[in-house]
Amino acid sequence: MSSSNSARKANLVIEGLAFGESPRWHDGRLWLCNWGTGEIVAVDEGGKSEVMLKVPVVLPYSIDWLPDGRLLVVSGRQGLLLRREADGTLATHADLRGLSKNPWNEIVVDGRGNIYVNGGGPAPAPGEHFGPGTIVLITSDGAMRQVAEDIAFANGMALTPDNRTLIVAESHAKRLTAFDIATDGGLSNRRVWADLGNDYPDGICIDAEGCVWYADVPNRHCIRVREGGEKIDAVEVDRGCFACMLAGGDGKTLFILAAEWRGFEHMVSDARTGQVLSAAVSVPGAGWPSYASGTR
């Protein structure tokens, strides 16, 4: 960590969530998935929250928006990508079950309307919770294909503002991995973007200087890292950090979704240790998902 930056503390925005995941900035509020409840919640910067909809899934599920403003929801265990229509109904946007029977996880939509979903992949080895993950591309015409494999527990994804690079958190490999994005949305030139030492990246976002913020559950912090692995800023909290998002009116608020971690077998319970936290930063968000993404 650069000597000019010491770890800072975060401010509480709301508490009483189960597990917050997949934070997105939309229409002036932070939207998130409250895992364990089936709720998708919107929170304003003053801490007022509202349940926007309930989905027929407990976990995992994640969200993003199409360029036309329609909400997408990954129903992970069901292997479906759902789309919320103008009348509030949920329609199937894509059926992922033909690609894998294992749960799907995160989603990101780029500036051209290409959809990337990760997870799935082969069955886990005995005693393991997850097998090697994949990344699937769904184009605007509905075509679907696998574009990456052998992801070591695929977690957060983010894309650069020019739609040319996708970065994915490989939690079990303790690294961020990058791919070049072709004009047809395909991925190539896989490489280690940052080796994170003893950190386990979960949710991620990109800032306007090309750095990545990542959330880390076991180490209870969010870290800003440059390509190559130099860690230059940190926010420490008292519980696991599952995801983070640069958002707010000027994009300079790092929102953190945190909760006490008690193991995969206890993810669905009556415990409500989940929080939304915030910390002011100097560099705004950029790329996808983004606080400045047009109608989204």
Side-chain angles (χ1 to χ4, degrees):
M1 187 89 53
S2 170
S3 59
S4 62
N5 292 286
S6 58
R8 64 185 81 184
K9 300 297 182 182
N11 301 309
L12 177 66
V13 179
I14 64 167
E15 56 188 346
L17 299 171
F19 282 93
E21 271 285 8
S22 193
R24 301 287 187 267
W25 189 252
H26 176 70
D27 198 20
R29 292 189 290 180
L30 186 78
W31 289 50
L32 60 94
C33 298
N34 190 15
W35 282 16
T37 69
E39 297 172 346
I40 295 174
V41 179
V43 183
D44 67 22
E45 292 186 81
K48 182 180 179 181
S49 65
E50 178 184 0
V51 176
M52 303 306 294
L53 70 153
K54 294 200 72 169
V55 294
V57 58
V58 178
L59 58 89
Y61 56 106
S62 55
I63 58 172
D64 208 345
W65 277 264
L66 288 167
D68 64 11
R70 287 181 294 175
L71 176 69
L72 296 173
V73 183
V74 175
S75 181
R77 293 193 182 280
Q78 287 70 35
L80 299 174
L81 177 60
L82 306 176
R83 183 186 66 245
R84 192 187 192 196
E85 303 290 35
D87 62 2
T89 58
L90 289 172
T92 296
H93 190 82
D95 189 333
L96 305 171
R97 291 173 293 185
L99 296 172
S100 174
K101 304 300 183 185
N102 291 308
W104 298 87
N105 192 19
E106 267 286 0
I107 181 174
V108 65
V109 182
D110 74 8
R112 298 172 294 189
N114 287 327
I115 302 163
Y116 295 90
V117 180
N118 70 28
E128 298 290 331
H129 290 283
F130 300 95
T134 65
I135 301 176
V136 168
L137 166 68
I138 305 161
T139 57
S140 56
D141 62 2
M144 179 171 58
R145 70 182 191 275
Q146 181 177 304
V147 289
E149 61 183 356
D150 293 327
I151 308 294
F153 191 177
N155 245 314
M157 291 187 292
L159 294 105
T160 53
D162 59 7
N163 298 303
R164 295 177 64 180
T165 305
L166 181 146
I167 300 172
V168 60
E170 291 195 86
S171 298
H172 288 175
K174 304 178 186 178
R175 68 187 175 216
L176 300 176
T177 296
F179 297 87
D180 292 340
I181 304 174
T183 54
D184 66 354
L187 303 182
S188 64
N189 189 25
R190 179 175 182 162
R191 59 200 180 274
V192 175
W193 193 89
D195 186 328
L196 303 178
N198 290 319
D199 278 4
Y200 297 82
D202 200 318
I204 65 173
C205 58
I206 296 175
D207 70 23
E209 292 183 351
C211 296
V212 169
W213 280 94
Y214 64 87
D216 182 331
V217 175
N219 290 301
R220 300 184 174 189
H221 57 206
C222 286
I223 300 290
R224 184 177 182 233
V225 63
R226 289 193 176 107
E227 184 174 6
E230 181 188 4
K231 299 174 184 178
I232 53 176
D233 205 351
V235 180
E236 303 285 349
V237 307
D238 66 354
R239 60 200 67 195
C241 296
F242 286 81
C244 56
M245 179 71 197
L246 287 163
D250 60 2
K252 294 182 180 179
T253 300
L254 182 72
F255 288 98
I256 300 168
L257 304 185
E260 293 179 5
W261 176 244
R262 299 175 304 279
F264 289 105
E265 63 275 15
H266 300 296
M267 288 192 71
V268 179
S269 73
D270 293 331
R272 294 293 180 264
T273 65
Q275 298 177 335
V276 177
L277 305 167
S278 68
V281 298
S282 59
V283 181
W288 313 95
S290 174
Y291 78 99
S293 49
T295 58
R296 297 189 221 170

